[in-house]
Amino acid sequence: MTRLYPHRRNLLAGLGATLAIGTAKANVMSAIDLALVLAVDCSGSVRGEHYDLQQRGYADAFRHRRVIEAILGGLHGGIIACYFQWSGPALHNLVIPWTVLRSRADIAGFATALQQAPRSIFGGGTAPAEAIDYGAALLQRVPAQPLRRVIDISGDGRSNRGRPPAMARDAAAAQGITINGLPILHMEEDIEEYYERNVIGGPGAFLISARDYESFADAVRRKLILEISSAG
């Protein structure tokens, strides 16, 4: 299910992956359409097969023709993205650092890195507030000049650790950051409403839900097309 929300709220270390990003490094400080943080839930409810489905879903999405066209078709012809895993308040791991995607080769390398990304967090609770905080800190250090800054957060459960996620959402939104959601409905059917009320926020925020992990790939592809296309 897709739900789009206009800007309704005024307030609303890491394991480095080796990527072949070609000439993108030379342009890393140039203007770019979007800085995108991918924040993936690795709490205890995410079993091994669930994690594998998430990884394949992200990788397949970045290989999809429409996602590639969205990345290359923006005003500046590229985005910059990173990927981290999260669970409890202090459990975050930056697995793929900021990577410029300006060519098909860049995007293919990023997709491969996503598919091969090892899981480094296996529990520790569910703290989306601190995941948003961590993503916002990454965006403060982005080595580019993006038109938009987005945290793309997925998860299958509500917060059970840390501070209320709405507080982190509002703080990030006050910085002009958009937090989009990808709730997975296999455990808590009302998690979609929870993400709507407590997680998403900022300019043009929206969520797209996945019925289960098997449908995750389709949901993340549609989500990426929407958020990347709106950046240009």
mmCIF file with all atom_site columns, all heavy atoms in Angstrom, residues 186-198:
data_model
loop_
_atom_site.group_PDB
_atom_site.id
_atom_site.type_symbol
_atom_site.label_atom_id
_atom_site.label_alt_id
_atom_site.label_comp_id
_atom_site.label_asym_id
_atom_site.label_entity_id
_atom_site.label_seq_id
_atom_site.pdbx_PDB_ins_code
_atom_site.Cartn_x
_atom_site.Cartn_y
_atom_site.Cartn_z
_atom_site.occupancy
_atom_site.B_iso_or_equiv
_atom_site.pdbx_formal_charge
_atom_site.auth_seq_id
_atom_site.auth_comp_id
_atom_site.auth_asym_id
_atom_site.auth_atom_id
_atom_site.pdbx_PDB_model_num
ATOM 1   N N   . HIS A 1 186 ? 4.275  -8.050  8.549  1.00 0.00 ? 186 HIS A N   1
ATOM 2   C CA  . HIS A 1 186 ? 4.111  -9.476  8.830  1.00 0.00 ? 186 HIS A CA  1
ATOM 3   C C   . HIS A 1 186 ? 3.873  -9.759  10.312 1.00 0.00 ? 186 HIS A C   1
ATOM 4   O O   . HIS A 1 186 ? 3.331  -10.819 10.660 1.00 0.00 ? 186 HIS A O   1
ATOM 5   C CB  . HIS A 1 186 ? 5.336  -10.254 8.332  1.00 0.00 ? 186 HIS A CB  1
ATOM 6   C CG  . HIS A 1 186 ? 6.518  -10.200 9.240  1.00 0.00 ? 186 HIS A CG  1
ATOM 7   N ND1 . HIS A 1 186 ? 7.130  -11.323 9.723  1.00 0.00 ? 186 HIS A ND1 1
ATOM 8   C CD2 . HIS A 1 186 ? 7.195  -9.146  9.770  1.00 0.00 ? 186 HIS A CD2 1
ATOM 9   C CE1 . HIS A 1 186 ? 8.137  -10.976 10.499 1.00 0.00 ? 186 HIS A CE1 1
ATOM 10  N NE2 . HIS A 1 186 ? 8.204  -9.676  10.541 1.00 0.00 ? 186 HIS A NE2 1
ATOM 11  N N   . MET A 1 187 ? 4.247  -8.853  11.212 1.00 0.00 ? 187 MET A N   1
ATOM 12  C CA  . MET A 1 187 ? 4.075  -9.081  12.648 1.00 0.00 ? 187 MET A CA  1
ATOM 13  C C   . MET A 1 187 ? 2.977  -8.212  13.245 1.00 0.00 ? 187 MET A C   1
ATOM 14  O O   . MET A 1 187 ? 2.118  -8.706  13.975 1.00 0.00 ? 187 MET A O   1
ATOM 15  C CB  . MET A 1 187 ? 5.393  -8.799  13.391 1.00 0.00 ? 187 MET A CB  1
ATOM 16  C CG  . MET A 1 187 ? 6.449  -9.853  13.195 1.00 0.00 ? 187 MET A CG  1
ATOM 17  S SD  . MET A 1 187 ? 7.928  -9.481  14.157 1.00 0.00 ? 187 MET A SD  1
ATOM 18  C CE  . MET A 1 187 ? 7.242  -9.294  15.799 1.00 0.00 ? 187 MET A CE  1
ATOM 19  N N   . GLU A 1 188 ? 2.994  -6.938  12.949 1.00 0.00 ? 188 GLU A N   1
ATOM 20  C CA  . GLU A 1 188 ? 2.049  -5.992  13.539 1.00 0.00 ? 188 GLU A CA  1
ATOM 21  C C   . GLU A 1 188 ? 1.320  -5.276  12.412 1.00 0.00 ? 188 GLU A C   1
ATOM 22  O O   . GLU A 1 188 ? 1.895  -4.416  11.741 1.00 0.00 ? 188 GLU A O   1
ATOM 23  C CB  . GLU A 1 188 ? 2.784  -4.970  14.419 1.00 0.00 ? 188 GLU A CB  1
ATOM 24  C CG  . GLU A 1 188 ? 3.588  -5.587  15.546 1.00 0.00 ? 188 GLU A CG  1
ATOM 25  C CD  . GLU A 1 188 ? 4.310  -4.534  16.372 1.00 0.00 ? 188 GLU A CD  1
ATOM 26  O OE1 . GLU A 1 188 ? 3.737  -3.446  16.576 1.00 0.00 ? 188 GLU A OE1 1
ATOM 27  O OE2 . GLU A 1 188 ? 5.441  -4.801  16.787 1.00 0.00 ? 188 GLU A OE2 1
ATOM 28  N N   . GLU A 1 189 ? 0.060  -5.620  12.204 1.00 0.00 ? 189 GLU A N   1
ATOM 29  C CA  . GLU A 1 189 ? -0.670 -5.053  11.076 1.00 0.00 ? 189 GLU A CA  1
ATOM 30  C C   . GLU A 1 189 ? -0.877 -3.549  11.210 1.00 0.00 ? 189 GLU A C   1
ATOM 31  O O   . GLU A 1 189 ? -1.060 -2.852  10.215 1.00 0.00 ? 189 GLU A O   1
ATOM 32  C CB  . GLU A 1 189 ? -2.014 -5.759  10.910 1.00 0.00 ? 189 GLU A CB  1
ATOM 33  C CG  . GLU A 1 189 ? -1.871 -7.197  10.425 1.00 0.00 ? 189 GLU A CG  1
ATOM 34  C CD  . GLU A 1 189 ? -3.195 -7.795  10.026 1.00 0.00 ? 189 GLU A CD  1
ATOM 35  O OE1 . GLU A 1 189 ? -4.226 -7.098  10.152 1.00 0.00 ? 189 GLU A OE1 1
ATOM 36  O OE2 . GLU A 1 189 ? -3.198 -8.961  9.588  1.00 0.00 ? 189 GLU A OE2 1
ATOM 37  N N   . ASP A 1 190 ? -0.859 -3.039  12.442 1.00 0.00 ? 190 ASP A N   1
ATOM 38  C CA  . ASP A 1 190 ? -1.039 -1.606  12.620 1.00 0.00 ? 190 ASP A CA  1
ATOM 39  C C   . ASP A 1 190 ? 0.284  -0.842  12.577 1.00 0.00 ? 190 ASP A C   1
ATOM 40  O O   . ASP A 1 190 ? 0.325  0.355   12.879 1.00 0.00 ? 190 ASP A O   1
ATOM 41  C CB  . ASP A 1 190 ? -1.767 -1.308  13.931 1.00 0.00 ? 190 ASP A CB  1
ATOM 42  C CG  . ASP A 1 190 ? -0.969 -1.744  15.157 1.00 0.00 ? 190 ASP A CG  1
ATOM 43  O OD1 . ASP A 1 190 ? -0.004 -2.517  14.999 1.00 0.00 ? 190 ASP A OD1 1
ATOM 44  O OD2 . ASP A 1 190 ? -1.320 -1.300  16.268 1.00 0.00 ? 190 ASP A OD2 1
ATOM 45  N N   . ILE A 1 191 ? 1.355  -1.513  12.183 1.00 0.00 ? 191 ILE A N   1
ATOM 46  C CA  . ILE A 1 191 ? 2.659  -0.845  12.134 1.00 0.00 ? 191 ILE A CA  1
ATOM 47  C C   . ILE A 1 191 ? 2.669  0.269   11.093 1.00 0.00 ? 191 ILE A C   1
ATOM 48  O O   . ILE A 1 191 ? 3.391  1.252   11.228 1.00 0.00 ? 191 ILE A O   1
ATOM 49  C CB  . ILE A 1 191 ? 3.798  -1.870  11.868 1.00 0.00 ? 191 ILE A CB  1
ATOM 50  C CG1 . ILE A 1 191 ? 5.170  -1.251  12.168 1.00 0.00 ? 191 ILE A CG1 1
ATOM 51  C CG2 . ILE A 1 191 ? 3.740  -2.398  10.450 1.00 0.00 ? 191 ILE A CG2 1
ATOM 52  C CD1 . ILE A 1 191 ? 5.388  -0.895  13.604 1.00 0.00 ? 191 ILE A CD1 1
ATOM 53  N N   . GLU A 1 192 ? 1.824  0.131   10.067 1.00 0.00 ? 192 GLU A N   1
ATOM 54  C CA  . GLU A 1 192 ? 1.715  1.194   9.067  1.00 0.00 ? 192 GLU A CA  1
ATOM 55  C C   . GLU A 1 192 ? 1.226  2.495   9.706  1.00 0.00 ? 192 GLU A C   1
ATOM 56  O O   . GLU A 1 192 ? 1.810  3.570   9.489  1.00 0.00 ? 192 GLU A O   1
ATOM 57  C CB  . GLU A 1 192 ? 0.777  0.752   7.954  1.00 0.00 ? 192 GLU A CB  1
ATOM 58  C CG  . GLU A 1 192 ? 0.640  1.758   6.822  1.00 0.00 ? 192 GLU A CG  1
ATOM 59  C CD  . GLU A 1 192 ? -0.233 1.209   5.720  1.00 0.00 ? 192 GLU A CD  1
ATOM 60  O OE1 . GLU A 1 192 ? -1.445 1.011   5.967  1.00 0.00 ? 192 GLU A OE1 1
ATOM 61  O OE2 . GLU A 1 192 ? 0.274  0.991   4.617  1.00 0.00 ? 192 GLU A OE2 1
ATOM 62  N N   . GLU A 1 193 ? 0.175  2.397   10.512 1.00 0.00 ? 193 GLU A N   1
ATOM 63  C CA  . GLU A 1 193 ? -0.348 3.580   11.193 1.00 0.00 ? 193 GLU A CA  1
ATOM 64  C C   . GLU A 1 193 ? 0.674  4.118   12.201 1.00 0.00 ? 193 GLU A C   1
ATOM 65  O O   . GLU A 1 193 ? 0.796  5.338   12.393 1.00 0.00 ? 193 GLU A O   1
ATOM 66  C CB  . GLU A 1 193 ? -1.660 3.248   11.894 1.00 0.00 ? 193 GLU A CB  1
ATOM 67  C CG  . GLU A 1 193 ? -2.849 3.058   10.962 1.00 0.00 ? 193 GLU A CG  1
ATOM 68  C CD  . GLU A 1 193 ? -2.787 1.766   10.163 1.00 0.00 ? 193 GLU A CD  1
ATOM 69  O OE1 . GLU A 1 193 ? -2.107 0.803   10.623 1.00 0.00 ? 193 GLU A OE1 1
ATOM 70  O OE2 . GLU A 1 193 ? -3.403 1.708   9.087  1.00 0.00 ? 193 GLU A OE2 1
ATOM 71  N N   . TYR A 1 194 ? 1.398  3.213   12.850 1.00 0.00 ? 194 TYR A N   1
ATOM 72  C CA  . TYR A 1 194 ? 2.424  3.638   13.804 1.00 0.00 ? 194 TYR A CA  1
ATOM 73  C C   . TYR A 1 194 ? 3.505  4.445   13.096 1.00 0.00 ? 194 TYR A C   1
ATOM 74  O O   . TYR A 1 194 ? 3.927  5.503   13.593 1.00 0.00 ? 194 TYR A O   1
ATOM 75  C CB  . TYR A 1 194 ? 3.034  2.406   14.477 1.00 0.00 ? 194 TYR A CB  1
ATOM 76  C CG  . TYR A 1 194 ? 4.096  2.748   15.501 1.00 0.00 ? 194 TYR A CG  1
ATOM 77  C CD1 . TYR A 1 194 ? 3.751  3.106   16.791 1.00 0.00 ? 194 TYR A CD1 1
ATOM 78  C CD2 . TYR A 1 194 ? 5.454  2.722   15.161 1.00 0.00 ? 194 TYR A CD2 1
ATOM 79  C CE1 . TYR A 1 194 ? 4.709  3.430   17.736 1.00 0.00 ? 194 TYR A CE1 1
ATOM 80  C CE2 . TYR A 1 194 ? 6.424  3.044   16.095 1.00 0.00 ? 194 TYR A CE2 1
ATOM 81  C CZ  . TYR A 1 194 ? 6.055  3.387   17.377 1.00 0.00 ? 194 TYR A CZ  1
ATOM 82  O OH  . TYR A 1 194 ? 7.016  3.721   18.290 1.00 0.00 ? 194 TYR A OH  1
ATOM 83  N N   . TYR A 1 195 ? 3.962  3.975   11.941 1.00 0.00 ? 195 TYR A N   1
ATOM 84  C CA  . TYR A 1 195 ? 4.968  4.720   11.182 1.00 0.00 ? 195 TYR A CA  1
ATOM 85  C C   . TYR A 1 195 ? 4.414  6.067   10.721 1.00 0.00 ? 195 TYR A C   1
ATOM 86  O O   . TYR A 1 195 ? 5.118  7.078   10.741 1.00 0.00 ? 195 TYR A O   1
ATOM 87  C CB  . TYR A 1 195 ? 5.440  3.896   9.982  1.00 0.00 ? 195 TYR A CB  1
ATOM 88  C CG  . TYR A 1 195 ? 6.722  3.124   10.237 1.00 0.00 ? 195 TYR A CG  1
ATOM 89  C CD1 . TYR A 1 195 ? 6.803  2.184   11.250 1.00 0.00 ? 195 TYR A CD1 1
ATOM 90  C CD2 . TYR A 1 195 ? 7.856  3.338   9.458  1.00 0.00 ? 195 TYR A CD2 1
ATOM 91  C CE1 . TYR A 1 195 ? 7.962  1.483   11.497 1.00 0.00 ? 195 TYR A CE1 1
ATOM 92  C CE2 . TYR A 1 195 ? 9.031  2.645   9.685  1.00 0.00 ? 195 TYR A CE2 1
ATOM 93  C CZ  . TYR A 1 195 ? 9.086  1.716   10.709 1.00 0.00 ? 195 TYR A CZ  1
ATOM 94  O OH  . TYR A 1 195 ? 10.252 1.029   10.950 1.00 0.00 ? 195 TYR A OH  1
ATOM 95  N N   . GLU A 1 196 ? 3.155  6.083   10.309 1.00 0.00 ? 196 GLU A N   1
ATOM 96  C CA  . GLU A 1 196 ? 2.543  7.345   9.880  1.00 0.00 ? 196 GLU A CA  1
ATOM 97  C C   . GLU A 1 196 ? 2.524  8.368   11.004 1.00 0.00 ? 196 GLU A C   1
ATOM 98  O O   . GLU A 1 196 ? 2.841  9.543   10.802 1.00 0.00 ? 196 GLU A O   1
ATOM 99  C CB  . GLU A 1 196 ? 1.122  7.086   9.376  1.00 0.00 ? 196 GLU A CB  1
ATOM 100 C CG  . GLU A 1 196 ? 0.390  8.349   8.971  1.00 0.00 ? 196 GLU A CG  1
ATOM 101 C CD  . GLU A 1 196 ? -1.060 8.079   8.619  1.00 0.00 ? 196 GLU A CD  1
ATOM 102 O OE1 . GLU A 1 196 ? -1.414 6.912   8.383  1.00 0.00 ? 196 GLU A OE1 1
ATOM 103 O OE2 . GLU A 1 196 ? -1.834 9.052   8.586  1.00 0.00 ? 196 GLU A OE2 1
ATOM 104 N N   . ARG A 1 197 ? 2.180  7.937   12.201 1.00 0.00 ? 197 ARG A N   1
ATOM 105 C CA  . ARG A 1 197 ? 2.044  8.863   13.327 1.00 0.00 ? 197 ARG A CA  1
ATOM 106 C C   . ARG A 1 197 ? 3.385  9.241   13.954 1.00 0.00 ? 197 ARG A C   1
ATOM 107 O O   . ARG A 1 197 ? 3.529  10.356  14.456 1.00 0.00 ? 197 ARG A O   1
ATOM 108 C CB  . ARG A 1 197 ? 1.145  8.256   14.405 1.00 0.00 ? 197 ARG A CB  1
ATOM 109 C CG  . ARG A 1 197 ? -0.294 8.054   14.018 1.00 0.00 ? 197 ARG A CG  1
ATOM 110 C CD  . ARG A 1 197 ? -1.133 7.730   15.245 1.00 0.00 ? 197 ARG A CD  1
ATOM 111 N NE  . ARG A 1 197 ? -0.593 6.597   15.989 1.00 0.00 ? 197 ARG A NE  1
ATOM 112 C CZ  . ARG A 1 197 ? -0.950 5.329   15.792 1.00 0.00 ? 197 ARG A CZ  1
ATOM 113 N NH1 . ARG A 1 197 ? -1.841 5.045   14.856 1.00 0.00 ? 197 ARG A NH1 1
ATOM 114 N NH2 . ARG A 1 197 ? -0.425 4.364   16.515 1.00 0.00 ? 197 ARG A NH2 1
ATOM 115 N N   . ASN A 1 198 ? 4.349  8.320   13.938 1.00 0.00 ? 198 ASN A N   1
ATOM 116 C CA  . ASN A 1 198 ? 5.535  8.495   14.775 1.00 0.00 ? 198 ASN A CA  1
ATOM 117 C C   . ASN A 1 198 ? 6.871  8.533   14.052 1.00 0.00 ? 198 ASN A C   1
ATOM 118 O O   . ASN A 1 198 ? 7.862  8.968   14.649 1.00 0.00 ? 198 ASN A O   1
ATOM 119 C CB  . ASN A 1 198 ? 5.603  7.350   15.805 1.00 0.00 ? 198 ASN A CB  1
ATOM 120 C CG  . ASN A 1 198 ? 4.409  7.318   16.717 1.00 0.00 ? 198 ASN A CG  1
ATOM 121 O OD1 . ASN A 1 198 ? 4.322  8.107   17.659 1.00 0.00 ? 198 ASN A OD1 1
ATOM 122 N ND2 . ASN A 1 198 ? 3.477  6.420   16.452 1.00 0.00 ? 198 ASN A ND2 1
#
